[in-house]
CSV table of all heavy atoms in Angstrom, one decimal:
chain,number,residue,atom,x,y,z
A,1,GLU,N,91.8,23.2,163.8
A,1,GLU,CA,91.6,22.6,162.5
A,1,GLU,C,91.0,23.6,161.5
A,1,GLU,O,91.3,23.8,160.4
A,1,GLU,CB,90.6,21.4,162.6
A,1,GLU,CG,90.4,20.7,161.4
A,1,GLU,CD,89.5,19.4,161.6
A,1,GLU,OE1,89.2,19.1,162.7
A,1,GLU,OE2,89.1,18.8,160.6
A,2,ASN,N,90.0,24.4,162.1
A,2,ASN,CA,89.4,25.5,161.3
A,2,ASN,C,90.4,26.5,160.9
A,2,ASN,O,90.4,27.0,159.7
A,2,ASN,CB,88.2,26.1,162.1
A,2,ASN,CG,87.0,25.2,162.3
A,2,ASN,OD1,86.9,24.2,161.5
A,2,ASN,ND2,86.2,25.4,163.3
A,3,ASN,N,91.3,26.8,161.7
A,3,ASN,CA,92.3,27.8,161.4
A,3,ASN,C,93.2,27.3,160.2
A,3,ASN,O,93.6,28.0,159.3
A,3,ASN,CB,93.2,28.1,162.6
A,3,ASN,CG,92.4,29.0,163.6
A,3,ASN,OD1,91.4,29.6,163.2
A,3,ASN,ND2,92.8,28.9,164.8
A,4,PHE,N,93.5,26.0,160.3
A,4,PHE,CA,94.4,25.3,159.3
A,4,PHE,C,93.7,25.4,158.0
A,4,PHE,O,94.3,25.8,157.0
A,4,PHE,CB,94.7,23.9,159.8
A,4,PHE,CG,95.4,23.1,158.7
A,4,PHE,CD1,96.7,23.3,158.5
A,4,PHE,CD2,94.7,22.2,157.9
A,4,PHE,CE1,97.4,22.6,157.5
A,4,PHE,CE2,95.4,21.5,156.9
A,4,PHE,CZ,96.7,21.7,156.7
A,5,TYR,N,92.5,24.9,157.9
A,5,TYR,CA,91.8,25.0,156.6
A,5,TYR,C,91.5,26.4,156.2
A,5,TYR,O,91.5,26.7,155.0
A,5,TYR,CB,90.4,24.2,156.8
A,5,TYR,CG,90.7,22.7,156.7
A,5,TYR,CD1,90.5,22.0,157.8
A,5,TYR,CD2,90.9,22.1,155.5
A,5,TYR,CE1,90.8,20.6,157.8
A,5,TYR,CE2,91.1,20.7,155.4
A,5,TYR,CZ,91.1,20.0,156.6
A,5,TYR,OH,91.2,18.6,156.5
A,6,GLY,N,91.3,27.3,157.1
A,6,GLY,CA,91.1,28.7,156.7
A,6,GLY,C,92.4,29.3,156.1
A,6,GLY,O,92.4,30.0,155.1
A,7,LYS,N,93.6,29.0,156.7
A,7,LYS,CA,94.8,29.4,156.1
A,7,LYS,C,95.1,28.8,154.7
A,7,LYS,O,95.6,29.5,153.8
A,7,LYS,CB,96.0,29.1,157.1
A,7,LYS,CG,95.9,29.9,158.4
A,7,LYS,CD,97.1,29.4,159.3
A,7,LYS,CE,97.1,30.2,160.6
A,7,LYS,NZ,98.1,29.8,161.5
A,8,LYS,N,94.8,27.5,154.6
A,8,LYS,CA,95.0,26.9,153.3
A,8,LYS,C,94.1,27.5,152.2
A,8,LYS,O,94.6,27.7,151.1
A,8,LYS,CB,94.7,25.4,153.5
A,8,LYS,CG,94.9,24.5,152.3
A,8,LYS,CD,94.7,23.1,152.6
A,8,LYS,CE,95.0,22.2,151.4
A,8,LYS,NZ,94.7,20.8,151.7
A,9,HIS,N,92.9,27.8,152.6
A,9,HIS,CA,92.0,28.4,151.6
A,9,HIS,C,92.5,29.8,151.2
A,9,HIS,O,92.5,30.2,150.0
A,9,HIS,CB,90.6,28.5,152.2
A,9,HIS,CG,89.6,29.1,151.3
A,9,HIS,ND1,89.1,28.4,150.2
A,9,HIS,CD2,89.0,30.3,151.3
A,9,HIS,CE1,88.3,29.2,149.6
A,9,HIS,NE2,88.2,30.4,150.3
A,10,LYS,N,93.1,30.5,152.1
A,10,LYS,CA,93.6,31.9,151.8
A,10,LYS,C,94.8,31.8,150.9
A,10,LYS,O,94.9,32.6,149.9
A,10,LYS,CB,94.0,32.6,153.1
A,10,LYS,CG,92.8,33.0,154.0
A,10,LYS,CD,93.3,33.7,155.2
A,10,LYS,CE,92.1,34.2,156.1
A,10,LYS,NZ,92.6,34.8,157.4
A,11,LYS,N,95.6,30.8,151.1
A,11,LYS,CA,96.8,30.6,150.2
A,11,LYS,C,96.4,30.3,148.8
A,11,LYS,O,96.9,30.7,147.8
A,11,LYS,CB,97.7,29.5,150.8
A,11,LYS,CG,98.5,29.9,152.0
A,11,LYS,CD,99.4,28.8,152.5
A,11,LYS,CE,100.1,29.1,153.7
A,11,LYS,NZ,101.0,28.0,154.2
A,12,LYS,N,95.4,29.4,148.7
A,12,LYS,CA,94.9,29.0,147.4
A,12,LYS,C,94.3,30.2,146.7
A,12,LYS,O,94.5,30.4,145.5
A,12,LYS,CB,93.8,27.9,147.6
A,12,LYS,CG,93.4,27.3,146.3
A,12,LYS,CD,92.4,26.1,146.6
A,12,LYS,CE,91.9,25.6,145.3
A,12,LYS,NZ,91.0,24.4,145.5
A,13,ARG,N,93.5,31.0,147.4
A,13,ARG,CA,92.9,32.2,146.8
A,13,ARG,C,94.0,33.2,146.4
A,13,ARG,O,93.9,33.8,145.3
A,13,ARG,CB,92.0,32.8,147.8
A,13,ARG,CG,91.1,33.9,147.2
A,13,ARG,CD,90.2,34.5,148.3
A,13,ARG,NE,90.9,35.0,149.4
A,13,ARG,CZ,90.3,35.4,150.5
A,13,ARG,NH1,89.0,35.3,150.7
A,13,ARG,NH2,91.0,35.9,151.5
A,14,ARG,N,95.0,33.3,147.2
A,14,ARG,CA,96.1,34.3,146.9
A,14,ARG,C,96.8,33.8,145.6
A,14,ARG,O,97.2,34.6,144.8
A,14,ARG,CB,97.1,34.4,148.1
A,14,ARG,CG,98.0,35.6,148.0
A,14,ARG,CD,98.8,35.7,149.3
A,14,ARG,NE,98.0,35.9,150.4
A,14,ARG,CZ,97.9,35.1,151.5
A,14,ARG,NH1,98.7,34.0,151.6
A,14,ARG,NH2,97.1,35.4,152.6
A,15,ARG,N,97.1,32.5,145.5
A,15,ARG,CA,97.8,31.9,144.4
A,15,ARG,C,96.9,32.2,143.1
A,15,ARG,O,97.5,32.5,142.0
A,15,ARG,CB,98.0,30.4,144.6
A,15,ARG,CG,99.0,29.8,143.7
A,15,ARG,CD,99.2,28.4,144.0
A,15,ARG,NE,99.7,28.2,145.4
A,15,ARG,CZ,99.1,27.5,146.3
A,15,ARG,NH1,97.9,26.9,146.1
A,15,ARG,NH2,99.6,27.3,147.5
A,16,SER,N,95.7,32.1,143.2
A,16,SER,CA,94.8,32.3,142.1
A,16,SER,C,94.8,33.7,141.6
A,16,SER,O,94.8,34.1,140.4
A,16,SER,CB,93.3,31.8,142.5
A,16,SER,OG,92.4,32.1,141.4
A,17,GLU,N,94.8,34.6,142.6
A,17,GLU,CA,94.9,36.0,142.3
A,17,GLU,C,96.2,36.4,141.6
A,17,GLU,O,96.2,37.2,140.6
A,17,GLU,CB,94.7,36.8,143.6
A,17,GLU,CG,93.3,36.8,144.2
A,17,GLU,CD,93.2,37.4,145.5
A,17,GLU,OE1,94.3,37.8,146.1
A,17,GLU,OE2,92.1,37.6,146.1
A,18,ASN,N,97.3,35.8,142.1
A,18,ASN,CA,98.6,36.0,141.4
A,18,ASN,C,98.6,35.6,140.0
A,18,ASN,O,99.1,36.2,139.1
A,18,ASN,CB,99.7,35.3,142.2
A,18,ASN,CG,99.9,36.0,143.6
A,18,ASN,OD1,99.6,37.2,143.8
A,18,ASN,ND2,100.5,35.2,144.5
A,19,GLY,N,98.0,34.4,139.7
A,19,GLY,CA,97.9,33.9,138.3
A,19,GLY,C,97.1,34.8,137.4
A,19,GLY,O,97.5,35.1,136.3
A,20,ILE,N,96.0,35.3,138.0
A,20,ILE,CA,95.2,36.3,137.2
A,20,ILE,C,96.0,37.5,136.9
A,20,ILE,O,96.0,38.1,135.8
A,20,ILE,CB,93.9,36.6,138.0
A,20,ILE,CG1,93.0,35.4,138.1
A,20,ILE,CG2,93.2,37.8,137.3
A,20,ILE,CD1,91.8,35.6,139.0
A,21,LEU,N,96.8,38.0,137.9
A,21,LEU,CA,97.6,39.2,137.7
A,21,LEU,C,98.6,39.0,136.6
A,21,LEU,O,98.8,39.9,135.7
A,21,LEU,CB,98.2,39.6,139.1
A,21,LEU,CG,99.1,40.9,139.0
A,21,LEU,CD1,98.3,42.1,138.6
A,21,LEU,CD2,99.8,41.1,140.4
A,22,ILE,N,99.3,37.9,136.7
A,22,ILE,CA,100.4,37.6,135.7
A,22,ILE,C,99.8,37.5,134.3
A,22,ILE,O,100.3,38.1,133.3
A,22,ILE,CB,101.1,36.3,136.1
A,22,ILE,CG1,101.9,36.6,137.4
A,22,ILE,CG2,102.1,35.9,134.9
A,22,ILE,CD1,102.6,35.3,137.9
A,23,GLY,N,98.7,36.8,134.2
A,23,GLY,CA,98.0,36.7,132.9
A,23,GLY,C,97.6,38.1,132.4
A,23,GLY,O,97.7,38.3,131.2
A,24,SER,N,97.2,38.9,133.3
A,24,SER,CA,96.8,40.3,132.8
A,24,SER,C,98.0,41.1,132.3
A,24,SER,O,97.9,41.8,131.3
A,24,SER,CB,96.1,41.0,134.0
A,24,SER,OG,94.9,40.4,134.4
A,25,ILE,N,99.1,40.9,133.0
A,25,ILE,CA,100.3,41.6,132.6
A,25,ILE,C,100.7,41.1,131.2
A,25,ILE,O,101.1,41.9,130.3
A,25,ILE,CB,101.4,41.4,133.6
A,25,ILE,CG1,101.1,42.1,135.0
A,25,ILE,CG2,102.8,41.9,133.1
A,25,ILE,CD1,102.0,41.8,136.1
A,26,ILE,N,100.7,39.8,131.0
A,26,ILE,CA,101.2,39.2,129.7
A,26,ILE,C,100.2,39.7,128.6
A,26,ILE,O,100.7,40.1,127.5
A,26,ILE,CB,101.2,37.7,129.8
A,26,ILE,CG1,102.3,37.2,130.7
A,26,ILE,CG2,101.3,37.1,128.4
A,26,ILE,CD1,102.3,35.7,131.0
A,27,LEU,N,98.9,39.7,128.9
A,27,LEU,CA,98.0,40.2,128.0
A,27,LEU,C,98.2,41.7,127.6
A,27,LEU,O,98.1,42.1,126.4
A,27,LEU,CB,96.6,40.0,128.5
A,27,LEU,CG,95.4,40.5,127.6
A,27,LEU,CD1,95.4,39.7,126.3
A,27,LEU,CD2,94.0,40.3,128.3
A,28,CYS,N,98.5,42.4,128.6
A,28,CYS,CA,98.8,43.9,128.4
A,28,CYS,C,100.1,44.0,127.5
A,28,CYS,O,100.1,44.9,126.6
A,28,CYS,CB,99.1,44.6,129.7
A,28,CYS,SG,97.5,44.8,130.6
A,29,LEU,N,101.1,43.2,127.8
A,29,LEU,CA,102.3,43.3,127.0
A,29,LEU,C,102.0,42.9,125.5
A,29,LEU,O,102.5,43.6,124.6
A,29,LEU,CB,103.4,42.4,127.6
A,29,LEU,CG,104.0,42.8,128.9
A,29,LEU,CD1,104.9,41.8,129.5
A,29,LEU,CD2,104.7,44.2,128.8
A,30,VAL,N,101.3,41.8,125.3
A,30,VAL,CA,100.9,41.4,124.0
A,30,VAL,C,100.2,42.5,123.3
A,30,VAL,O,100.4,42.8,122.1
A,30,VAL,CB,100.1,40.1,124.0
A,30,VAL,CG1,99.6,39.8,122.6
A,30,VAL,CG2,101.0,39.0,124.5
A,31,THR,N,99.2,43.0,124.0
A,31,THR,CA,98.4,44.1,123.4
A,31,THR,C,99.3,45.3,123.0
A,31,THR,O,99.1,45.9,121.9
A,31,THR,CB,97.3,44.5,124.4
A,31,THR,OG1,96.5,43.4,124.7
A,31,THR,CG2,96.4,45.6,123.8
A,32,LEU,N,100.2,45.7,124.0
A,32,LEU,CA,101.1,46.8,123.7
A,32,LEU,C,101.9,46.6,122.5
A,32,LEU,O,102.2,47.4,121.6
A,32,LEU,CB,101.9,47.1,125.0
A,32,LEU,CG,102.9,48.2,124.8
A,32,LEU,CD1,102.1,49.5,124.6
A,32,LEU,CD2,103.7,48.3,126.1
A,33,GLY,N,102.4,45.3,122.4
A,33,GLY,CA,103.3,45.0,121.2
A,33,GLY,C,102.5,45.1,119.9
A,33,GLY,O,103.0,45.6,118.9
A,34,ALA,N,101.3,44.6,120.0
A,34,ALA,CA,100.4,44.7,118.8
A,34,ALA,C,100.2,46.1,118.4
A,34,ALA,O,100.2,46.5,117.2
A,34,ALA,CB,99.1,43.9,119.0
A,35,ILE,N,99.9,46.9,119.4
A,35,ILE,CA,99.6,48.3,119.1
A,35,ILE,C,100.9,49.0,118.5
A,35,ILE,O,100.8,49.8,117.6
A,35,ILE,CB,99.2,49.1,120.4
A,35,ILE,CG1,97.8,48.6,120.9
A,35,ILE,CG2,99.2,50.6,120.2
A,35,ILE,CD1,97.4,49.1,122.3
A,36,THR,N,102.1,48.6,119.1
A,36,THR,CA,103.3,49.2,118.6
A,36,THR,C,103.5,48.8,117.1
A,36,THR,O,103.9,49.7,116.3
A,36,THR,CB,104.5,48.7,119.4
A,36,THR,OG1,104.3,49.0,120.8
A,36,THR,CG2,105.8,49.2,118.9
A,37,VAL,N,103.3,47.5,116.8
A,37,VAL,CA,103.4,47.1,115.4
A,37,VAL,C,102.5,47.8,114.5
A,37,VAL,O,102.8,48.3,113.4
A,37,VAL,CB,103.2,45.6,115.3
A,37,VAL,CG1,103.1,45.1,113.9
A,37,VAL,CG2,104.3,44.8,116.0
A,38,CYS,N,101.3,48.0,115.0
A,38,CYS,CA,100.3,48.7,114.2
A,38,CYS,C,100.7,50.2,114.0
A,38,CYS,O,100.6,50.7,112.8
A,38,CYS,CB,98.9,48.7,114.9
A,38,CYS,SG,98.2,47.1,114.9
A,39,LEU,N,101.2,50.8,115.0
A,39,LEU,CA,101.6,52.2,114.9
A,39,LEU,C,102.8,52.3,113.9
A,39,LEU,O,102.8,53.2,113.1
A,39,LEU,CB,102.0,52.7,116.3
A,39,LEU,CG,100.9,53.0,117.2
A,39,LEU,CD1,101.4,53.4,118.6
A,39,LEU,CD2,99.9,54.1,116.7
A,40,MET,N,103.8,51.3,114.0
A,40,MET,CA,104.9,51.4,113.1
A,40,MET,C,104.5,51.2,111.7
A,40,MET,O,105.0,51.8,110.8
A,40,MET,CB,105.9,50.3,113.5
A,40,MET,CG,106.6,50.5,114.8
A,40,MET,SD,107.7,49.2,115.3
A,40,MET,CE,108.9,49.3,113.9
A,41,THR,N,103.5,50.3,111.5
A,41,THR,CA,103.0,50.0,110.1
A,41,THR,C,102.3,51.3,109.6
A,41,THR,O,102.5,51.7,108.4
A,41,THR,CB,102.0,48.9,110.2
A,41,THR,OG1,102.6,47.7,110.7
A,41,THR,CG2,101.4,48.6,108.8
A,42,VAL,N,101.5,51.9,110.5
A,42,VAL,CA,100.9,53.2,110.1
A,42,VAL,C,101.9,54.2,109.7
A,42,VAL,O,101.8,54.9,108.7
A,42,VAL,CB,99.9,53.7,111.2
A,42,VAL,CG1,99.4,55.1,110.9
A,42,VAL,CG2,98.8,52.7,111.3
A,43,PHE,N,102.9,54.4,110.6
A,43,PHE,CA,103.9,55.4,110.4
A,43,PHE,C,104.7,55.2,109.1
A,43,PHE,O,105.0,56.1,108.3
A,43,PHE,CB,104.9,55.6,111.6
A,43,PHE,CG,104.2,56.2,112.8
A,43,PHE,CD1,104.6,55.7,114.1
A,43,PHE,CD2,103.3,57.2,112.7
A,43,PHE,CE1,104.0,56.3,115.2
A,43,PHE,CE2,102.7,57.7,113.8
A,43,PHE,CZ,103.1,57.3,115.0
A,44,LYS,N,105.0,53.9,108.9
A,44,LYS,CA,105.8,53.5,107.7
A,44,LYS,C,104.9,53.8,106.4
A,44,LYS,O,105.4,54.3,105.4
A,44,LYS,CB,106.1,52.0,107.7
A,44,LYS,CG,107.0,51.6,106.5
A,44,LYS,CD,107.4,50.1,106.7
A,44,LYS,CE,108.3,49.7,105.5
A,44,LYS,NZ,108.7,48.3,105.7
A,45,TYR,N,103.7,53.4,106.5
A,45,TYR,CA,102.8,53.7,105.4
A,45,TYR,C,102.7,55.2,105.1
A,45,TYR,O,102.7,55.6,103.9
A,45,TYR,CB,101.4,53.1,105.7
A,45,TYR,CG,100.3,53.5,104.7
A,45,TYR,CD1,100.3,52.8,103.4
A,45,TYR,CD2,99.4,54.5,104.9
A,45,TYR,CE1,99.3,53.2,102.5
A,45,TYR,CE2,98.5,54.9,104.0
A,45,TYR,CZ,98.4,54.2,102.8
A,45,TYR,OH,97.5,54.5,101.8
A,46,ARG,N,102.6,56.0,106.2
A,46,ARG,CA,102.5,57.4,106.0
A,46,ARG,C,103.8,57.9,105.4
A,46,ARG,O,103.7,58.8,104.5
A,46,ARG,CB,102.2,58.1,107.4
A,46,ARG,CG,100.9,57.8,107.9
A,46,ARG,CD,99.8,58.5,107.1
A,46,ARG,NE,100.0,59.9,107.0
A,46,ARG,CZ,99.6,60.8,107.9
A,46,ARG,NH1,98.9,60.4,109.0
A,46,ARG,NH2,99.8,62.1,107.7
A,47,ALA,N,104.9,57.4,105.8
A,47,ALA,CA,106.2,57.8,105.3
A,47,ALA,C,106.3,57.5,103.8
A,47,ALA,O,106.7,58.4,103.0
A,47,ALA,CB,107.4,57.2,106.0
A,48,VAL,N,105.9,56.3,103.4
A,48,VAL,CA,106.0,55.9,102.0
A,48,VAL,C,105.0,56.8,101.2
A,48,VAL,O,105.3,57.2,100.1
A,48,VAL,CB,105.6,54.4,101.9
A,48,VAL,CG1,105.4,54.0,100.4
A,48,VAL,CG2,106.7,53.5,102.5
């Protein structure tokens, strides 16, 4: 029984870690996009 609950808890913890990882990736992508837009705006402004 202890092993069963121990395994179940490990799975739950692993699932939580995966969610955090995906969220971090999405956040990074959003941040990267924002940076890209900012850079393009800066470059366009400099060109003008």
